[in-house]
Amino acid sequence: KMGKKLVCARAISEGEVIQPGDIVFKSPGDGIPPYFFDFFVGKTMKVGMGVDESLTYEAIGETEASAKSIVT
């Protein structure tokens, strides 16, 4: 079974707030796992990203450590 990662469902511009429909889960699981979905929803993009680009913590101005402290 292949793991999944968070990916942009559409192009998201800098300054946009991420909505639930803006994120999809795709294989392979070489990025941020789906259980961080709620962490990303409602965050403002610090950089623009294209369709099917893997979301990153840097794209929303956060760090992996800050995300893990909230999610876990």
Side-chain angles (χ1 to χ4, degrees), residues 5-8 12 18 22-24 30-33 36-37 39-41 43-50 52-67:
K5 63 182 171 185
L6 298 178
V7 175
C8 295
I12 308 172
I18 300 172
D22 295 336
I23 303 172
V24 293
D30 60 355
I32 298 173
F36 285 99
F37 176 84
F39 179 77
F40 278 82
V41 172
K43 300 285 186 183
T44 301
M45 293 292 287
K46 303 298 180 199
V47 296
M49 297 188 80
D52 287 335
E53 275 193 72
S54 297
L55 281 170
T56 64
Y57 299 108
E58 294 79 17
I60 59 169
E62 297 281 349
T63 64
E64 183 175 358
S66 68

